Amino acid sequence: MPELPDVENYRRYLGANALHKSIAGVHVGSARILRGIAGKRLADTLSGRSMETTRRHGKHLMVQLDDGGWLTFHFGMTGRFRYFKQMEDDPKHDRLRIDFDNGYHLAFENQRLLGEVGLATDADAFVDEQDMGPDALDIDEATFRKRLAGRRGGVKTALMNQSLAAGIGNVYSDEMLFQAGIHPATPVKRLKDADIATLYRAMRTVLETAIDCGAGSDDLAQRLPRGWLLPRRDEGAPCPRCDGTIEAFRTGGRRGFLCPSCQPKRK
DNA sequence: AGTACCACCTGACGGC
DNA sequence: TGCCGTCAGGTGGTAC
């Protein structure tokens, strides 16, 4: 799940449930997700501390501790948080569990183990190290336009490039291009000024709407407005906006979807 | 600076 | 029921 809208909602979830609470201890369910740190050191660093503020950049979530340090999360292709009290509610793929003095727990779920948890001393420096561009919800249109300029590949690939703008992945790039009526393979250099304006607006609308509709929860598809591709991302599905049929395509090993009549190829 | 392809993992699904 | 190939919303390395 975790593209920008999902991670934003995870950030809010953590913020609403797990801040300002003294940490009693940490349980590492799988050391594989630890990023350059031993489980013992992570536990020592967190024990007795509390989490105070949150910050997100692209698909990365950073949580500042009361000693000023930062705990960093990346979800990979699967994952979310779960705040719970009874250990019987501990999710199956809990890879890192933070236990609070109040008897509650925060689980970092990460089924496929492609996520990462780490420590950082400075959030800005951490963002720089990841080679990320501006957050996709922070970027203004002029900057977006400037960062697209001179790129050689297709527009979907560009949108998913985290160093151009951070936070957009396979699913939401499809959605933005669908709503903008732009074919995913369109070379960036063939986009007209008006196309980029349309795409920029679609990018913002898609991200903001997905957040508002609860991206990261299982019933997102039911809550989205009509006319979204996301619930119809399936080969042969009816296009939510016309009489067309959704087609699948492949680029860079990823499968994407489009409506050939809403998103005609450019000449 | 692009692309394709593989790898990292677990698990769900369809075909047989 | 079970085995097998394929695929999944991310990213990084390699080779071209």
Side-chain angles (χ1 to χ4, degrees), chain A residues 59 155-162 165 168-170 173 251 254:
Chain A
K59 302 169 190 172
V155 61
K156 178 175 165 74
T157 311
L159 284 176
M160 289 200 297
N161 186 323
Q162 301 301 297
I168 302 167
N170 196 28
S173 60
T251 173
R254 311 300 301 277

Side-chain angles (χ1 to χ4, degrees), chain A residues 192-229:
Chain A
K192 305 209 168 23
D193 284 356
D195 293 327
I196 296 180
T198 305
L199 181 56
Y200 177 78
R201 295 198 61 80
M203 174 175 79
R204 293 203 66 90
T205 306
V206 164
L207 295 174
E208 285 167 357
T209 306
I211 292 167
D212 291 346
C213 292
S217 63
D218 295 334
D219 55 348
L220 170 68
Q222 287 97 71
R223 293 201 246 172
L224 289 171
R226 284 182 300 117
W228 274 54
L229 173 66

Side-chain angles (χ1 to χ4, degrees), chain A residues 142-158:
Chain A
T143 309
F144 181 62
R145 195 175 288 278
K146 194 173 356 171
R147 295 183 76 87
L148 276 174
R151 290 192 68 88
R152 289 209 269 138
V155 61
K156 178 175 165 74
T157 311

Side-chain angles (χ1 to χ4, degrees), chain A residues 1 76 79 148 161 185 211 232 236 245 256 267:
Chain A
M1 303 182 175
L148 276 174
N161 186 323
I211 292 167
R232 300 269 184 285
T245 301
K267 290 185 283 286

Side-chain angles (χ1 to χ4, degrees), chain A residues 4 55-59 127-128 130-148 158-168 200 203-204 207:
Chain A
L4 187 154
R55 179 172 157 181
R56 182 191 55 73
H57 191 107
K59 302 169 190 172
V127 167
D128 288 343
Q130 311 311 308
D131 191 27
M132 281 187 281
D135 185 81
L137 269 183
D138 261 352
I139 198 168
D140 61 51
E141 187 179 332
T143 309
F144 181 62
R145 195 175 288 278
K146 194 173 356 171
R147 295 183 76 87
L148 276 174
L159 284 176
M160 289 200 297
N161 186 323
Q162 301 301 297
S163 63
L164 190 146
I168 302 167
Y200 177 78
M203 174 175 79
R204 293 203 66 90
L207 295 174

Side-chain angles (χ1 to χ4, degrees), chain A residues 84-100:
Chain A
F84 62 98
K85 184 166 192 182
Q86 306 299 139
M87 281 307 290
E88 66 203 42
D89 295 326
D90 189 15
K92 180 176 178 189
H93 304 291
D94 179 355
R95 309 306 191 188
L96 178 72
R97 194 185 75 230
I98 297 174
D99 301 327
F100 298 100

